[in-house]
Amino acid sequence: MDHLPTTEAAVTALRAIAAEYAREIEVTHDIGADQTSRRTAAGVGVIADPDGSLPHEAYAEFGGIPRVSVRLYPDDDALISIEGVECPDIPRDDVPAFLRSVFGGLAWVKARRFPPGHFLMVPLPGGRTHKEYVAVGLSPWLSGRVR
């Protein structure tokens, strides 16, 4: 697992994954405390954090099925959405492995009979698995991965 010290390094990794899986990718950047989503208290016209740094946030959408988007926050984490299932607080360094599991067909949906429910399961390196409750209806892609 490579360390991704900046948002730009993570965007470069996302572009490489898009090329690896032959997917289109569209990336938008928000730079400055007045532009990033977690710095709303910065005030009007304030672009730098108190330490003088410029926070950099990026949003990427991948083409194809499953529908995947990634919001990279300046705080070393990301929000990944797969077919409407939001997976918050993914460490930035885990994002490439997470996406490879999804695009490589390793992610699956665990069905629970009682109480009824579904969980998106995404295997990560080191024997870890990210588990996220599916609060939305199952899309055709999600239904095709139910175990």
Side-chain angles (χ1 to χ4, degrees), residues 12-132:
T12 300
L14 293 182
R15 290 185 191 282
I17 290 168
E20 182 180 334
Y21 290 94
R23 292 183 169 257
E24 292 183 17
I25 186 171
E26 186 175 321
V27 180
T28 56
H29 296 270
D30 295 316
I31 300 173
D34 60 340
Q35 300 296 311
T36 57
S37 62
R38 291 187 175 169
R39 304 291 202 284
T40 54
V44 177
V46 177
I47 59 169
D49 278 345
D51 65 359
S53 65
L54 281 175
H56 178 192
E57 184 173 296
Y59 178 76
E61 283 186 295
F62 290 86
I65 303 291
R67 292 175 323 218
V68 175
S69 65
V70 178
R71 180 167 301 281
L72 296 162
Y73 296 108
D75 305 323
D76 298 334
D77 68 329
L79 167 67
I80 300 176
S81 178
I82 302 151
E83 290 291 313
V85 178
E86 291 194 347
C87 304
D89 303 322
I90 305 296
R92 183 165 48 208
D93 291 345
D94 283 345
V95 170
F98 191 103
L99 293 175
R100 283 189 177 95
S101 284
V102 171
F103 295 146
L106 300 176
W108 55 284
V109 175
K110 178 180 179 179
R112 185 178 62 198
R113 291 184 193 258
F114 190 80
H118 294 92
F119 295 88
L120 176 64
M121 310 293 284
V122 181
L124 297 170
R128 301 174 297 142
T129 301
H130 181 83
K131 178 180 179 181
E132 200 64 50

Side-chain angles (χ1 to χ4, degrees), residues 83 109 118 137-147:
E83 290 291 313
V109 175
H118 294 92
L138 293 180
S139 69
W141 185 87
L142 290 168
S143 328
R145 276 141 191 86
V146 173
R147 291 187 192 170

